[in-house]
Amino acid sequence: MKKVILCKYGEIILKGQNKSKFESMLLKEVRRRADAVGDFKVTYAQSTVKIEPRGDASDGELDEMLDQAKKVFGFAGVTVAAVAEKNMDDILRVAGEYLPSKLEGVKTFKCTAKRSDKAFPLTSPEISAEVGGKILSCVPGIKVDLHTPQVEVRVEVRDSEAYIHAGQEKGAGGNPPGSSGRGLLLLSGGIDSPVAGYMMAKRGMFIDALHFESFPYTSELAREKVFTLAKELTEYTGRIRVHVISLTHIQEVLRDNCDEDYFTLLLRRFMMELAVRVAREFEIPAIITGESLGQVASQTLPALCVTDPVADRPVFRPCIGMDKDEIVAVARKIGTFDTSVLPYEDCCTVFTPRHPRTSPVLEKVVAQEAKVDREALLEDAWATRYSVLFKQFED
Ligand code: ATP
Ligand code: MG
């Protein structure tokens, strides 16, 4: 029995004249993943991408491909489907062969049919009734429940063949990779920033990352942890270049010259300014952070108001309206949580003020900043920059 994977478009369905541009991005992403898993042919028609093994794919290979398809942004649903010829005899034969094992232990089902080929001799309700009858006769104990079925069986009669599947899974949602341009993610080792990167990648952004370290106050292990998080994010983004800049000198100079209450705010303005430099150098139009309103002193509204003016481009903060437990739930779902909670320090916790300002006034922050040679510090930090590329699959 021949099986394929069907991936149903999400929001792309709503696109107008741009639709084909989105489709080609989606296809490119599916092909990138399919080529890494095995020998698959990837095509699309009628708001569905079909992934078809060229030879005899094992069930394991198909499952692996399904897992990959579930991570492609742009799909609302994905499923393995059995392929039948476009006639009722063959549809019933394949249903009888494929469905009993899929429905093992299932108590209730509903069958729906859709035919895009209106010349097919049976109507959709007639197809559902026949396949439903077949299921009742070959799956012991199963019953029909039209309102709250445990599993929905679908029959799709399309242009050249028919497909039968049971239990379509949720796709990753969002927009295809690259359809929303690029963003520079400020990636710490915490829980929030990987989630922020995932959320913007989901909306169609390619992600670059920028990590600040403060060696020897932060350790080799802290850097490795951030690299691990970047690698984990490539499961969704495909690749991530991580830029690393040292803040050690800036932090020491701030400690020696400025009022302690302002350390964190001053540091965050330096971080933002360096982020803008990286973004400019690599032509990245937006910056992304994992900030959440009011989570810590540097994330109050007045604090954000003194950091933002140094940015010359949009700063996306997708976690801004989320509670910590909501961010944690996403971190667990995408698989970054366990790495994020490893106990290594971040540069933001080096020389932390005892009483950080929570309602800073921009003029006072700027006056504190005037106590140091800002340009020279930025140049020094810039000179420490290096980058590492992480890929989901090796070439
Ligand atoms: P998390 O670290 O998980 O993002 P947090 O609550 O620890 O959450 P902060 O340390 O206040 O947050 O940092 C807020 C945001 O600033 C982070 O989400 C991240 O985008 C950025 N940031 C903080 N530290 C660093 C760092 N060392 N390198 C790059 N960006 C950082
Ligand atoms: Mg942090």
Side-chain angles (χ1 to χ4, degrees), residues 188-196 199 225 229 268 289-299 318-334 336-337 339-342 346 349:
S188 67
I191 297 169
D192 311 334
S193 45
V195 168
M199 287 170 80
K225 171 183 174 180
L229 285 171
R268 295 204 68 83
T289 81
E291 287 158 310
S292 159
L293 194 63
Q295 191 188 77
V296 288
S298 62
Q299 294 170 32
C319 301
I320 199 74
M322 293 168 79
D323 291 349
K324 195 75 185 187
D325 59 346
E326 293 168 325
I327 301 173
V328 165
V330 181
R332 286 190 195 281
K333 184 182 88 175
I334 65 174
T336 52
F337 182 78
T339 305
S340 288
V341 294
L342 292 173
D346 181 57
T349 52

Side-chain angles (χ1 to χ4, degrees), residues 25 37 201 243 284 339 355 369:
M25 289 172 177
V37 176
H243 307 268
I284 305 172
T339 305
H355 305 291
E369 219 166 55

Side-chain angles (χ1 to χ4, degrees), residues 212 245-258 266-267 269-271 273-274 277 368-385:
F212 295 107
I245 292 181
S246 169
L247 292 181
T248 311
H249 184 51
I250 292 181
Q251 291 193 273
E252 288 174 341
V253 171
L254 292 177
R255 177 197 58 190
D256 295 341
N257 293 279
C258 304
L266 294 170
L267 184 65
R269 279 168 63 90
F270 274 105
M271 288 164 80
E273 185 116 7
L274 288 163
R277 283 197 183 201
Q368 287 288 327
E369 219 166 55
K371 294 179 174 183
V372 299
D373 185 345
R374 214 169 127 262
E375 280 308 315
L377 286 177
L378 287 168
E379 283 307 319
D380 276 359
W382 186 248
T384 66
R385 182 177 58 80

Side-chain angles (χ1 to χ4, degrees), residues 220-359:
E220 196 76 46
L221 286 172
R223 179 196 300 161
E224 284 307 316
K225 171 183 174 180
V226 170
F227 287 171
T228 304
L229 285 171
K231 178 78 182 147
E232 285 167 353
L233 280 177
T234 65
E235 283 289 316
Y236 297 91
T237 62
R239 53 191 278 149
I240 292 188
R241 185 174 296 283
V242 182
H243 307 268
V244 181
I245 292 181
S246 169
L247 292 181
T248 311
H249 184 51
I250 292 181
Q251 291 193 273
E252 288 174 341
V253 171
L254 292 177
R255 177 197 58 190
D256 295 341
N257 293 279
C258 304
D259 292 356
E260 183 188 309
D261 305 2
Y262 286 92
F263 282 177
T264 312
L265 289 165
L266 294 170
L267 184 65
R268 295 204 68 83
R269 279 168 63 90
F270 274 105
M271 288 164 80
M272 191 58 86
E273 185 116 7
L274 288 163
V276 167
R277 283 197 183 201
V278 174
R280 202 178 291 142
E281 171 103 355
F282 290 87
E283 297 178 10
I284 305 172
I287 290 167
I288 303 164
T289 81
E291 287 158 310
S292 159
L293 194 63
Q295 191 188 77
V296 288
S298 62
Q299 294 170 32
T300 62
L301 180 57
L304 296 177
C305 288
V306 303
T307 335
D308 255 19
V310 295
D312 65 352
R313 57 202 68 213
V315 179
F316 293 152
R317 299 180 168 98
C319 301
I320 199 74
M322 293 168 79
D323 291 349
K324 195 75 185 187
D325 59 346
E326 293 168 325
I327 301 173
V328 165
V330 181
R332 286 190 195 281
K333 184 182 88 175
I334 65 174
T336 52
F337 182 78
D338 289 344
T339 305
S340 288
V341 294
L342 292 173
Y344 306 123
E345 63 300 308
D346 181 57
C347 68
C348 285
T349 52
V350 174
F351 314 141
T352 317
R354 279 158 294 182
H355 305 291
R357 292 267 158 186
T358 52
S359 302

Side-chain angles (χ1 to χ4, degrees), residues 126-165:
E126 285 166 351
I127 302 168
S128 319
E130 290 226 13
V131 176
K134 179 77 188 180
I135 293 170
L136 289 171
S137 73
C138 66
V139 181
I142 202 162
K143 290 196 176 70
V144 174
D145 180 344
L146 295 179
H147 303 294
T148 49
Q150 233 176 311
V151 175
E152 185 170 346
V153 174
R154 292 191 203 175
V155 184
E156 302 182 25
V157 181
R158 291 179 172 249
D159 286 351
S160 56
E161 24 183 46
Y163 305 100
I164 299 162
H165 52 96

